[in-house]
Amino acid sequence: MESRVLSGATIRGLSLPPKPAARLAGNCNFPALRLTGKLSNAGNLTWGRQLRTAILLEASPASVASPVVKRESIRPCFAAASSPAEGSDSAGDAKVGFLEKYPALVTGFFFFMWYFLNVIFNILNKKIYNYFPYPYFVSVIHLFVGVIYCLGSWTVGLPKRAPIDSNLLKLLIPVAVCHALGHVTSNVSFAAVAVSFTHTIKALEPFFNAAASQFILGQQIPLTLWLSLAPVVIGVSMASMTELSFNWTGFISAMISNISFTYRSIYSKKAMTDMDSTNLYAYISIIALVVCIPPAIIFEGPQLIKHGFSDAIAKVGLTKFISDLFWVGMFYHLYNQLATNTLERVAPLTHAVGNVLKRVFVIGFSILVFGNKISLQTGIGTSIAIAGVAMYSFINAKMEEEKRQMKAA
């Protein structure tokens, strides 16, 4: 039975004197504690982050001022000492899970999976284009498989679908249109030239972002950032002049992709909402799929019906053809989801370094897998461009961190 000591309380008409109770309890005078806040299923897991509700213990002013203490408000020291089971729920005795005990290990695993899925996607995507050169249709498949995945996740409640209204839809449509255009033009470039060359051209994306911030959003870009972009432009120019797989379709498509993703970033800032990233990306994917279907029908529909599907099935068989399309779509969606999951767990500087290293991994593995021959000048130009992106990312991340610290101060 749990022991309790009441000071100044009245039991069945008898008033207990405060002094003996004080002697029994020693000098342990605790203010009454009131538990506020709610705890619901240990919080919600959203994009790799555990959102925990706050438990606040606050002293009740009335309990300090009044000599009468409620029965449920206080326990004496000797009772706590005699009952070891009590207090087992305290913060000091709470068991720490593996994910909380080794956060660096978990983050490293997310980085590995992000790079792994990205490399597999790029390799499988290029292999499909070698026997099925229809980038508009393949782009639709990428988004279609991702949308099916999102709808299935909503059905089982992982995550729970967030509601959307007409106002939010108006904000997301420009983001989704830019996402669709950038995605399609990237695939057109992948189908036309080597994967390594497309990623070299896409290394210019920070340059377009800086230009848009300066001339469209009116933000002042420091001279140091502009200077750090000079190696990127020089390196891409060197690589383009001697790239053996160079053609204008691949080059222009990659440049349009850079511009599209730049505008996607601008519209994303205007469409900042309280919706979690999982639901937000799901809605953007659905809208982008609707946008991508008409161009695929217009530009590639007649060719697909006439000989596109039959040629692909004749080369690799129906089972492999369908399997390749399914897995490339799944890898595309999962690597984008893992990328967001990973980048939300780290600081801006780590984010920047991770993006640069990802591009190095993709270029390196694509050269090894496909055996693309590159000239010495192309290799030097690609290295200079990647080094410039790393320099820009480092400087930009440091500036963002300083701004955040100033706001916090």
Side-chain angles (χ1 to χ4, degrees), residues 226-239:
W226 283 114
L227 293 177
S228 67
L229 289 171
V232 181
V233 178
I234 294 173
V236 171
S237 301
M238 289 178 60

Side-chain angles (χ1 to χ4, degrees), residues 6-135:
L6 304 178
S7 176
T10 302
I11 301 180
R12 294 183 180 179
L14 298 178
S15 177
L16 298 180
K19 290 184 179 179
R23 284 196 297 270
L24 283 172
N27 294 324
C28 299
N29 295 323
F30 296 102
L33 300 179
R34 184 171 74 246
L35 184 64
T36 62
K38 295 181 180 179
L39 192 63
S40 174
N41 296 328
N44 295 320
L45 185 64
T46 304
W47 280 85
R49 289 185 175 185
Q50 189 72 15
L51 304 179
R52 297 177 180 82
T53 49
I55 299 178
L56 305 177
L57 294 177
E58 62 182 13
S60 173
S63 65
V64 178
S66 173
V68 179
V69 181
K70 293 183 180 180
R71 267 188 94 215
E72 304 298 330
S73 300
I74 189 168
R75 293 180 184 178
C77 290
F78 74 85
S82 62
S83 181
E86 294 182 26
S88 61
D89 295 334
S90 63
D93 297 333
K95 293 183 179 180
V96 179
F98 179 82
L99 299 181
E100 298 173 348
K101 191 174 182 180
Y102 303 101
L105 187 63
V106 176
T107 302
F109 174 76
F110 273 95
F111 266 104
F112 170 77
M113 290 303 299
W114 173 29
Y115 288 3
F116 175 76
L117 293 174
N118 198 327
V119 169
I120 295 299
F121 162 74
N122 279 276
I123 292 174
L124 182 57
N125 202 41
K126 184 61 178 178
K127 285 185 175 181
I128 290 175
Y129 289 137
N130 288 337
Y131 69 83
F132 187 70
Y134 297 94

Side-chain angles (χ1 to χ4, degrees), residues 301-348:
Q303 296 176 358
L304 287 171
I305 296 174
K306 186 177 181 180
H307 56 77
F309 293 124
S310 58
D311 289 349
I313 294 172
K315 291 178 181 177
V316 299
L318 178 61
T319 302
K320 180 173 174 53
F321 178 54
I322 295 177
S323 175
D324 285 349
L325 290 178
F326 169 77
W327 284 113
V328 77
M330 184 61 69
F331 281 124
Y332 170 76
H333 181 83
L334 290 179
Y335 104 74
N336 277 286
Q337 183 170 314
L338 261 294
T340 307
N341 195 328
T342 303
L343 300 181
E344 284 188 349
R345 297 175 62 90
V346 298

Side-chain angles (χ1 to χ4, degrees), residues 49-323:
R49 289 185 175 185
Q50 189 72 15
L51 304 179
R52 297 177 180 82
T53 49
I55 299 178
L56 305 177
L57 294 177
E58 62 182 13
S60 173
S63 65
V64 178
S66 173
V68 179
V69 181
K70 293 183 180 180
R71 267 188 94 215
E72 304 298 330
S73 300
I74 189 168
R75 293 180 184 178
C77 290
F78 74 85
S82 62
S83 181
E86 294 182 26
S88 61
D89 295 334
S90 63
D93 297 333
K95 293 183 179 180
V96 179
F98 179 82
L99 299 181
E100 298 173 348
K101 191 174 182 180
Y102 303 101
L105 187 63
V106 176
T107 302
F109 174 76
F110 273 95
F111 266 104
F112 170 77
M113 290 303 299
W114 173 29
Y115 288 3
F116 175 76
L117 293 174
N118 198 327
V119 169
I120 295 299
F121 162 74
N122 279 276
I123 292 174
L124 182 57
N125 202 41
K126 184 61 178 178
K127 285 185 175 181
I128 290 175
Y129 289 137
N130 288 337
Y131 69 83
F132 187 70
Y134 297 94
Y136 288 88
F137 178 78
V138 174
S139 299
V140 170
I141 294 298
H142 291 165
L143 294 170
F144 176 75
V145 174
V147 168
I148 296 299
Y149 177 88
C150 293
L151 294 177
S153 300
W154 280 341
T155 302
V156 298
L158 294 173
K160 186 177 180 181
R161 186 181 71 85
I164 188 172
D165 55 21
S166 58
N167 293 328
L168 181 58
L169 188 63
K170 291 177 182 178
L171 292 174
L172 292 183
I173 286 177
V175 180
V177 170
C178 292
H179 177 71
L181 181 59
H183 179 54
V184 170
T185 50
S186 291
N187 280 289
V188 171
S189 181
F190 284 138
V193 296
V195 174
S196 57
F197 181 59
T198 299
H199 278 278
T200 302
I201 300 300
K202 287 175 70 65
L204 282 171
E205 192 172 323
F207 174 82
F208 288 96
N209 285 332
S213 299
Q214 177 86 46
F215 302 110
I216 298 178
L217 298 180
Q219 300 175 358
Q220 288 297 321
I221 303 299
L223 181 61
T224 52
L225 274 182
W226 283 114
L227 293 177
S228 67
L229 289 171
V232 181
V233 178
I234 294 173
V236 171
S237 301
M238 289 178 60
S240 300
M241 286 189 293
T242 55
E243 172 60 36
L244 300 178
S245 67
F246 178 89
N247 66 58
W248 285 106
T249 300
F251 178 82
I252 294 175
S253 298
M255 295 293 283
I256 294 175
S257 175
N258 285 332
I259 298 173
S260 300
F261 286 138
T262 296
Y263 275 93
R264 183 186 65 177
S265 300
I266 293 174
Y267 286 119
S268 296
K269 292 179 180 178
K270 296 180 179 180
M272 288 295 181
T273 66
D274 294 331
M275 185 183 296
D276 63 277
S277 300
T278 308
N279 280 287
L280 200 62
Y281 183 67
Y283 283 121
I284 290 175
S285 297
I286 294 173
I287 301 171
L289 174 62
V290 175
V291 173
C292 288
I293 290 177
I297 295 175
I298 294 172
F299 292 112
E300 296 178 346
Q303 296 176 358
L304 287 171
I305 296 174
K306 186 177 181 180
H307 56 77
F309 293 124
S310 58
D311 289 349
I313 294 172
K315 291 178 181 177
V316 299
L318 178 61
T319 302
K320 180 173 174 53
F321 178 54
I322 295 177
S323 175

Side-chain angles (χ1 to χ4, degrees), residues 323-381:
S323 175
D324 285 349
L325 290 178
F326 169 77
W327 284 113
V328 77
M330 184 61 69
F331 281 124
Y332 170 76
H333 181 83
L334 290 179
Y335 104 74
N336 277 286
Q337 183 170 314
L338 261 294
T340 307
N341 195 328
T342 303
L343 300 181
E344 284 188 349
R345 297 175 62 90
V346 298
L349 181 58
T350 310
H351 168 185
V353 174
N355 263 325
V356 175
L357 290 178
K358 181 210 73 173
R359 203 171 296 280
V360 173
F361 267 79
V362 172
I363 291 175
F365 274 97
S366 65
I367 292 175
L368 291 176
V369 172
F370 296 106
N372 298 330
K373 294 182 180 180
I374 59 173
S375 66
L376 179 61
Q377 182 173 330
T378 299
I380 294 174

